[in-house]
Amino acid sequence: MSEFYAALVTASHLILSLDPGLAEIVLLSLRVSLVAVGLAALIGMPLGAAIALYHFPGRSVLATLLSACMGLPPVVVGLVIYLLLSRSGPLGPLGLLFTPTAMIIAQCVLVTPIIAALTRQTITDLNEEYDEQFRAMGAGGLRKMRALLWDGRFSLVTAVLAGFGRASAEVGAVLIVGGNIDHVTRVMTTTIALETSKGNLALALALGLILIAISISVNAAAVSVRDVAYRRYR
Amino acid sequence: MSPIAAIAKADGLAEHGATVASRDVTSGVLPLVVSKLVYRAGRHRLLDEISFTLRPNANTMLLGPNGAGKSLLLRLCHGLLEPERGSVRWGGESANRAHRWVSMVFQKPVLLRRSAAANIDYALAVKGVPRAARKQRVNMALADAGLEHLATRPARVLSGGEQQRLAIARAWASQPRVLLLDEPTSNLDPAATRAIETLIQSIRRAGARIIMSTHDLAQARRLGDEVLFMHKGRVLEHTPAGDFFERPRSAPARAFLRGDLLS
């Protein structure tokens, strides 16, 4: 217990003194996860909406596949991307392995199915209410899809949030494709795993506290934005 | 050239102000000829061999008890549902090809989660009205509905009567020749009902043809020129409003006017 207590004191000290090493890790983590989630939203939302609205062959297979991919094991995703990006792999010449870009790609692959599947559900539900009105107005295609995405924005915030939760907490994929290289690809989760195994509990705990704080505050902010907006637009 | 295309060419979009002087702009898309329309759900014939012709220049009230098929008939007329048999022709064209000239407002209209003005703007954009022309048209439609002061208010927080007026304004903004209204004042209080009736009258004066269903007999008297009386999926009477209210010919219509509950 005293070990935990000592770790907590050191951790608080690291956080309060804005330790540069700690800050570097936190900022890289945020950068990787935010970019990954942003890209995943750009791909996943139109994809989910298209599956909800358009009838095409293989649509139900794709929808099932997407839901199944919500639970992809991160280490397997990491492994596959590692093979693609490794020097002898098809994307090897790009030289992306062990860079933050590789980590962004890995997280994006993990998060896109989550955002797409949740978007599909939201848009399907909304379309039940809106479809006849849109047909009466003569609205279809992209114009209809854009309006539905916009009108579903309160629920879609939750979808993006679920994606961010997955991205920021994930360790397996970024560890494999990033390599946990100091000052280059070291993020919060990989550092926690490494430092814990080295017995450096203070740094691990400090990062753990920050990770939890970020996750709580992002969620709280998103929920309150959604509530305020909902009260305003109903 | 088809009749609809002909009017479109003859009097272009831009010159239709929302409150332009009365004139007959409905001639091309009318008459509405419905012949031998059958619509079935499972084994039940919800519409049974319905035939009628609606000419320009009259407000038509669709009357009848609940379940008579009024809403269903309006949806078929707007091409939202396909009949099992029979046809709907607007000036010789199919319902879907007449969409440009016919707008429909539902009993429970779906307003988009954006401002009142943006709701109308969206409907105009869908109809292909260029951005530069939309602002003025939005303002005119809001003014016609008496909603200018609520232009920036989110549509979904408006009162029930204001929402219904906005929905009518949205349908009217694209300046259709015909407006189909499904129970526009159900569940509204008298003041809100009056505001909607005033709006409908001013749209009528601007030259549009109104076809609306209602269960409110007094309202049908106030607004109607002619009545289509429906019962159990059939049209039993199609007569001038005065005749219908003074001398109903069918037994169900007499019972309906007496206030009996029709089974």
Side-chain angles (χ1 to χ4, degrees):
Chain A
M1 198 62 217
S2 66
E3 194 179 3
F4 179 78
Y5 182 72
L8 200 61
V9 170
T10 321
S12 320
H13 181 71
L14 282 171
I15 295 170
L16 294 175
S17 65
L18 297 174
D19 181 76
L22 188 73
E24 188 187 4
I25 293 169
V26 171
L27 289 178
L28 180 66
S29 300
L30 283 177
R31 199 184 104 206
V32 167
S33 293
L34 288 175
V35 173
V37 170
L39 288 175
L42 285 180
I43 302 166
M45 285 189 185
L47 180 64
I51 295 171
L53 297 177
Y54 292 104
H55 294 265
F56 51 87
R59 173 181 182 243
S60 62
V61 175
L62 195 58
T64 312
L65 207 64
L66 218 50
S67 300
C69 287
M70 288 174 80
L72 279 180
V75 283
V76 178
V77 169
L79 174 62
V80 171
I81 291 175
Y82 180 93
L83 292 172
L84 291 174
L85 295 181
S86 68
R87 196 149 295 165
S88 55
L91 301 177
L94 297 176
L96 291 176
L97 197 60
F98 304 135
T99 64
T101 306
M103 298 156 79
I104 288 171
I105 293 171
Q107 290 197 345
C108 188
V109 169
L110 284 170
V111 169
T112 300
I114 296 176
I115 295 183
L118 294 176
T119 301
R120 186 190 70 82
Q121 194 55 53
T122 299
I123 299 299
T124 301
D125 294 346
L126 211 54
N127 193 40
E128 299 235 322
E129 184 191 349
Y130 283 52
D131 183 52
E132 194 175 40
Q133 181 72 58
F134 277 127
R135 285 197 295 133
M137 290 201 285
L142 275 182
R143 205 185 284 284
K144 174 182 175 180
M145 190 200 279
R146 284 213 313 264
L148 282 170
L149 283 170
W150 181 242
D151 273 35
R153 57 196 181 273
F154 310 128
S155 310
L156 294 178
V157 166
T158 315
V160 172
L161 215 58
F164 183 77
R166 169 88 157 163
S168 59
E170 179 281 319
V171 54
V174 286
L175 186 61
I176 293 176
V177 302
N180 199 23
I181 302 165
D182 206 4
H183 303 302
V184 182
T185 57
R186 189 157 290 186
V187 291
M188 286 192 275
T189 52
T190 57
T191 313
I192 291 172
L194 177 71
E195 298 301 330
T196 305
S197 64
K198 284 189 347 199
N200 187 358
L201 297 183
L203 182 56
L205 193 60
L207 286 166
L209 290 174
I210 293 173
L211 193 53
I212 288 170
I214 288 174
S215 139
I216 289 176
S217 48
V218 166
N219 272 280
V223 166
S224 58
V225 163
R226 193 187 60 187
D227 286 354
V228 167
Y230 182 77
R231 243 176 279 130
R232 196 163 135 60
Y233 284 96
R234 203 59 58 82
Chain B
M1 189 185 297
S2 75
I4 292 175
I7 348 181
K9 194 168 178 197
D11 55 23
L13 266 177
E15 53 180 290
H16 289 283
T19 46
V20 289
S22 169
R23 65 196 166 106
D24 179 21
V25 293
T26 59
S27 51
V29 71
L30 291 165
L32 164 63
V33 180
V34 170
S35 55
K36 297 192 172 158
L37 209 57
V38 175
Y39 188 86
R40 200 194 294 262
R43 294 172 55 208
H44 297 280
R45 280 194 169 197
L46 300 181
L47 293 182
D48 195 0
E49 298 272 334
I50 286 191
S51 297
F52 59 85
T53 299
L54 298 186
R55 304 194 176 284
N57 282 324
N59 274 4
T60 305
M61 296 293 124
L62 217 49
L63 285 177
N66 282 342
K70 305 187 294 289
S71 300
L72 193 56
L73 179 59
L74 287 173
R75 283 178 163 85
L76 282 152
C77 285
H78 200 38
L80 297 173
L81 296 170
E82 284 298 315
E84 181 180 308
R85 272 190 280 129
S87 68
V88 171
R89 309 297 287 177
W90 291 92
E93 300 274 11
S94 72
N96 285 322
R97 296 200 55 179
H99 251 187
R100 174 64 195 82
W101 312 108
V102 181
S103 289
M104 178 159 178
V105 179
F106 297 104
Q107 183 172 358
K108 289 189 183 127
V110 176
L111 297 172
L112 303 176
R113 292 188 171 90
R114 49 183 86 190
S115 73
N119 262 276
I120 299 177
D121 186 74
Y122 181 83
L124 290 174
V126 167
K127 299 273 185 193
V129 179
R131 188 182 295 272
R134 291 212 292 269
K135 190 161 173 51
Q136 194 199 354
R137 296 268 290 271
V138 168
N139 290 336
M140 279 195 308
L142 286 169
D144 283 348
L147 294 170
E148 307 104 309
H149 60 297
L150 300 173
T152 58
R153 205 68 84 69
R156 297 229 176 181
V157 301
L158 301 178
S159 73
E162 288 160 351
Q163 290 201 18
Q164 188 61 260
R165 253 147 69 208
L166 177 57
I168 296 174
R170 182 173 67 178
W172 172 234
S174 60
Q175 287 149 3
R177 293 341 195 238
V178 180
L179 214 48
L180 305 174
L181 304 173
D182 190 7
E183 300 271 5
T185 61
S186 62
N187 306 322
L188 294 182
D189 63 30
T193 299
R194 181 173 309 127
I196 284 172
E197 289 188 8
T198 307
L199 175 58
I200 291 173
Q201 296 282 28
S202 74
I203 289 172
R204 162 123 173 87
R205 277 196 300 279
R209 178 78 156 75
I210 307 285
I211 301 170
M212 66 178 260
S213 68
T214 177
H215 61 275
D216 180 347
L217 287 172
Q219 178 171 66
R221 277 178 206 268
R222 287 191 295 271
L223 297 177
D225 301 317
E226 61 172 16
V227 169
L228 263 179
F229 177 72
M230 293 181 70
H231 183 47
K232 293 187 175 170
R234 295 202 166 138
V235 171
L236 298 186
E237 308 209 15
H238 181 193
T239 49
D243 290 359
F244 178 79
F245 290 112
E246 299 309 319
R247 296 178 290 281
R249 285 179 309 212
S250 61
R254 281 195 293 275
F256 184 69
L257 286 172
R258 273 201 308 275
D260 291 356
L261 299 171
L262 295 184
S263 58

